[in-house]
Amino acid sequence: HPANGRRDHLALVQELMQGLREQRVRLAYQPVVAAAHHALVWYEALARLTRADGGSTEISPYILAAEKLGLVQLLDRQALDLAVAALNADPAVRIAVNVSAATTSDLDWRRHMDRFLDRQPADGKRLLVEITETAAFADLGHAGAFVRDLRAKGVRLALDDFGAGYTSFRALRALGVDLVKIDGE
């Protein structure tokens, strides 16, 4: 029934908004290892929302709602803050953090990143920012500027889910990312 779907969607939005206000976003760290020698290369930081009842849930059900309401940049900022705190806590760790399409053009997110890099420029080399193929090629010019700006500051960039869309290798080369993560499908 459509009314039930809207109610469920509204409940997700309210939970996300409250979770963002109360800073209940957490990161789960998934190890990424080299295939050749199985050594740890970095951790991919996956956002989770600690629910008001104390449980934890993946953030993915909230992403679409967050994008529609313009909240996804706030989510990406909180994820960046948590990743930076993890980098500060362990000088040997390398972390990958995902950003949404909207974040690639969010000047507040970039200023937030710049403040972090101004305080700890060397830590930028331990950070990998992942953007999805669909986000990157929805506006290649914007995404290219995003990639160039962060790479100039020492941050590495990855294109996530390559092959899920219709990207040409020419466009991939123009983007200039450091790493391509191929979609498993």
Side-chain angles (χ1 to χ4, degrees), residues 108-170:
D108 285 338
W109 188 92
R110 289 216 196 155
R111 282 190 286 270
H112 204 68
M113 173 66 90
D114 287 345
R115 282 191 296 273
F116 156 63
L117 294 172
D118 288 345
R119 285 189 311 267
Q120 296 158 300
D123 285 353
K125 293 177 181 9
R126 298 187 300 127
L127 185 63
L128 176 69
V129 174
E130 296 185 19
I131 54 177
T132 62
E133 176 188 29
T134 51
F137 296 104
D139 184 345
L140 189 58
H142 230 114
F146 179 81
V147 169
R148 283 187 301 279
D149 289 351
L150 289 179
R151 286 190 77 216
K153 294 172 180 158
V155 176
R156 294 180 34 213
L157 281 103
L159 182 65
D160 199 5
D161 298 331
F162 182 74
Y166 301 99
T167 305
S168 70
F169 283 102
R170 182 178 302 143

